[in-house]
Amino acid sequence: MRGIPLFHIELAIGQHLRTGSVGVWKAVSPYLGGVGLGCLTVSFLVSLYYNTVLTWVLWYFLNSFQNPLPWGSCPLDLNRTGSAEECQASSPVSYFWYRRTLNVTADVSDSGSIQWRLLACLAASWAVVYVCVIRGIESTGKAIYFTALFPYLVLTIFLIRGLSLPGAVEGLTYLFTPDVRILQSPRVWLDAATQIFFSLSLAFGGHIAFASYNPPRNNCEKDAVIISLVNSLTSLYASIAMFSVLGFKAANDHGRCLDRNILRLINAFELPDQSVDRDDYAAVLTHLNATQPERVARLGLETCRLEDFLDKSASGTGLAFIIFTEAILHMPGAPGWAVLFFGMLFTLGLSSMFGNMESIITPLLDMGVTHRFVPKEVLTGLACLVCFLSAICFTLQSGNYWLEIFDNYAAPLNLMVFAFFEVVGVAYVYGVQRFSDDIESMTGRRPGLYWQVTWKVVSPLLLLTIFVAYVATLARTPLSYKAWDTQYVRPPGGLAWPFPGAALRGPVGRLRRDPRPPELQRPTGRQS
């Protein structure tokens, strides 16, 4: 009711006016030219931190060609007599991410130094993007065949392998079982409502730019419906593949938790070795609790519930670089699966970067910012160079904090505003009837009542409602970011060991702590 109608607008108006976002909205009304400039600005900002995520992916991809994987164990301390204390206080996977990859500082006020390995990966990522978009739609169209199809191949491989792993059924059951307590939270529904902007890349200007290259008689209505459905089905397909593997990880962690408790029982009660297995554990524990409860209580047994391990889900960087990388460690042939996984993420990110860069370059060409004798390849190179130089701040030790701030506050609110003015501009400035006439002249088919009602009434109201709710939520919640804190200790799900905490800084600089580690916190609603 909101995403597909707006998607149809962008495809149709770009195809009809055959120009980029700035030119399109200036043609609709001179007063709407700022919408096009806003879309260009948001695309620029998103490109900065989005390609930084590709930098991290590339770093993990290069490190995946090692056996064993470098995030599988803690490194030695300075004396080489034991494991690094900071790694022991968290986990090998978290340590590799926060310390060996990001080398993160305590908070955003401490910028730290540039991480040269990340800077090199950032330069390589932008070089790959430049090579792929150097000739615009001509070179992008060739690259997209690989970047769009390769992830489906990898997802299928992960799906087949994941479904054959123990715990896959539990993972899929968890995926498709709604949590009523979570669904009662208004923030969850607000995150779901804003997610569509990132899922379909709405209000970035990329669809308008790409649609301007479509044949004039192209059926943009069919494109909008089919692409939206394929997008939703792909998300479902990817979720099944990922949660089958995450279910395996949860089952593996649950089994190891049971093994630790069984070992404590055997040692404390002097039971014969291997006299208690995982299937008998619950019955043995019940019997001992009934007969010798004080001795059992003194053992400090961990609470081993499969649901607790399944609840340790995450989104964004937490899912890719902590949760899923740990799951890969438990799979036979882990380096090969790591290469496939991070290779898939890199190609997925490239596909999104194609749209972001087209959202920047096409409006710049339309505005004539360079002399007409300057080749497009030069303008594209300059755009990539400016983006690279601007993104160097994300390679600082505090770069992860700045990226999260950008991700949470730079794009969502702006995209809602631009999407609202896009719909209002077409429906009430340009006119629905005039717009329908243009589509009919292109495709030979006039938009039906559904499209006209959603453009004129439903979509503007929904966007306005979401905008007001989002602003109200931001007003009630202090601005925050997650920070690495090795001294923070809390027993998640009954397990007691230090995890990264979350330092929340409000507008007056107050330091607060979120009771959950970053990798266990709920998704924000945005996807990479």
Side-chain angles (χ1 to χ4, degrees):
M1 297 296 289
R2 176 172 49 87
I4 299 179
L6 180 57
F7 190 26
H8 189 191
I9 283 178
E10 293 191 346
L11 292 182
I13 202 165
Q15 181 175 314
H16 176 66
L17 296 178
R18 315 198 70 73
T19 186
S21 57
V22 174
V24 159
W25 298 114
K26 278 187 177 181
V28 171
S29 171
Y31 298 105
L32 291 176
V35 174
L37 291 174
C39 293
L40 187 155
T41 304
V42 169
S43 295
F44 171 74
L45 294 176
V46 171
S47 295
L48 299 185
Y49 70 80
Y50 201 94
N51 216 33
T52 302
V53 176
L54 286 189
T55 298
W56 299 336
V57 171
L58 180 60
W59 168 250
Y60 268 75
F61 177 77
L62 296 176
N63 277 278
S64 297
F65 292 93
Q66 301 182 45
N67 191 18
L69 291 171
W71 55 83
S73 60
C74 289
L76 296 176
D77 57 18
L78 295 178
N79 296 326
R80 307 189 69 81
T81 57
S83 299
E85 182 179 352
E86 189 178 25
C87 182
Q88 290 180 330
S90 54
S91 70
V93 175
S94 294
Y95 180 83
F96 185 85
W97 167 240
Y98 285 105
R99 182 56 61 216
R100 298 185 65 183
T101 299
L102 302 176
N103 195 20
V104 72
T105 54
D107 58 62
V108 73
S109 62
D110 183 4
S111 298
S113 59
I114 291 177
Q115 302 303 291
W116 296 105
R117 58 185 179 278
L118 292 183
L119 182 63
C121 289
L122 179 68
S125 297
W126 276 110
V128 172
V129 171
Y130 174 65
V131 170
C132 292
V133 302
I134 185 171
R135 295 185 180 275
I137 194 69
E138 179 182 347
S139 56
T140 302
K142 296 176 181 178
I144 202 70
Y145 283 109
F146 176 77
T147 59
L149 297 178
F150 179 71
Y152 282 101
L153 173 62
V154 176
L155 280 176
T156 302
I157 294 173
F158 267 100
L159 177 62
I160 295 172
R161 181 64 180 122
L163 292 177
S164 66
L165 294 171
V169 174
E170 289 77 6
L172 295 180
T173 302
Y174 178 81
L175 171 63
F176 291 108
T177 302
D179 189 332
V180 178
R181 179 180 57 85
I182 297 298
L183 293 177
Q184 289 174 347
S185 171
R187 182 56 192 252
V188 172
W189 294 99
L190 184 60
D191 288 341
T194 55
Q195 170 60 31
I196 194 64
F197 292 104
F198 298 89
S199 182
L200 283 176
S201 298
L202 299 176
F204 283 94
H207 295 311
I208 294 176
F210 281 126
S212 66
Y213 297 100
N214 281 341
R217 306 292 295 179
N218 180 66
N219 191 338
C220 49
E221 177 182 331
K222 183 176 72 174
D223 288 347
V225 174
I226 291 177
I227 293 174
S228 300
L229 290 177
V230 170
N231 175 73
S232 299
L233 292 175
T234 299
S235 298
L236 179 61
Y237 188 64
S239 298
I240 294 173
M242 295 300 105
F243 272 86
S244 64
V245 176
L246 294 178
F248 161 71
K249 174 187 177 297
N252 189 73
D253 291 344
H254 176 247
R256 291 191 295 172
C257 179
L258 292 177
D259 290 341
R260 290 192 293 270
N261 283 355
I262 290 171
L263 182 60
R264 291 177 183 176
L265 290 177
I266 290 176
N267 292 335
F269 293 94
E270 298 181 352
L271 301 174
D273 290 342
Q274 300 181 350
S275 60
V276 182
D277 59 23
R278 295 177 181 179
D279 295 332
D280 299 331
Y281 169 75
V284 171
L285 182 61
T286 302
H287 172 72
L288 293 176
N289 268 323
T291 56
Q292 305 181 61
E294 293 182 357
R295 289 186 65 184
V296 173
R298 287 197 297 268
L299 294 178
L301 297 177
E302 302 174 21
T303 302
C304 301
R305 296 178 65 250
L306 181 61
E307 293 76 11
D308 292 336
F309 292 98
L310 287 169
D311 280 335
K312 293 179 182 180
S313 59
S315 68
T317 57
L319 174 62
F321 300 111
I322 297 178
I323 301 298
F324 208 83
T325 51
E326 185 175 350
I328 289 175
L329 286 174
H330 304 311
M331 299 172 65
W337 293 108
V339 169
L340 281 177
F341 177 67
F342 289 109
M344 176 190 70
L345 291 185
F346 193 79
T347 55
L348 279 172
L350 277 181
S351 298
S352 298
M353 283 301 300
F354 295 161
N356 284 336
M357 294 309 297
E358 196 65 35
S359 304
I360 298 171
I361 296 168
T362 300
L364 293 178
L365 288 172
D366 294 340
M367 291 187 294
V369 295
T370 59
H371 196 278
R372 60 191 181 92
F373 293 114
V374 176
K376 183 178 181 180
E377 293 84 351
V378 174
L379 176 61
T380 302
L382 289 175
C384 290
L385 178 61
V386 170
C387 289
F388 165 69
L389 295 176
S390 302
I392 290 178
C393 63
F394 296 123
T395 65
L396 293 169
Q397 290 177 264
S398 61
N400 182 52
Y401 303 144
W402 288 111
L403 186 142
E404 187 168 346
I405 293 170
F406 267 64
D407 185 38
N408 288 335
Y409 304 111
L413 194 62
N414 291 319
L415 292 176
M416 281 184 275
V417 172
F418 299 147
F420 176 77
F421 280 107
E422 284 185 5
V423 175
V424 170
V426 168
Y428 295 99
V429 178
Y430 193 78
V432 169
Q433 295 303 317
R434 182 182 174 189
F435 187 56
S436 299
D437 292 338
D438 294 338
I439 295 177
E440 186 178 16
S441 68
M442 290 189 298
T443 65
R445 180 179 177 181
R446 191 174 186 82
L449 181 63
Y450 165 80
W451 296 109
Q452 299 189 38
V453 171
T454 53
W455 290 335
K456 201 162 189 176
V457 180
V458 179
S459 290
L461 287 178
L462 284 177
L463 288 168
L464 185 60
T465 302
I466 294 169
F467 173 77
V468 172
Y470 195 88
V471 171
T473 301
L474 287 180
R476 294 196 306 267
T477 308
L479 301 182
S480 64
Y481 64 94
K482 296 189 287 282
W484 167 257
D485 180 8
T486 56
Q487 302 304 315
Y488 179 72
V489 181
R490 175 184 167 85
L495 310 181
W497 63 78
F499 269 94
L504 305 186
R505 288 195 176 270
V508 293
R510 294 173 296 173
L511 183 65
R512 299 183 178 183
R513 297 288 180 186
D514 190 301
R516 296 162 297 176
E519 61 265 34
L520 305 187
Q521 295 192 12
R522 285 287 170 187
T524 62
R526 280 167 294 282
Q527 292 179 344
S528 305

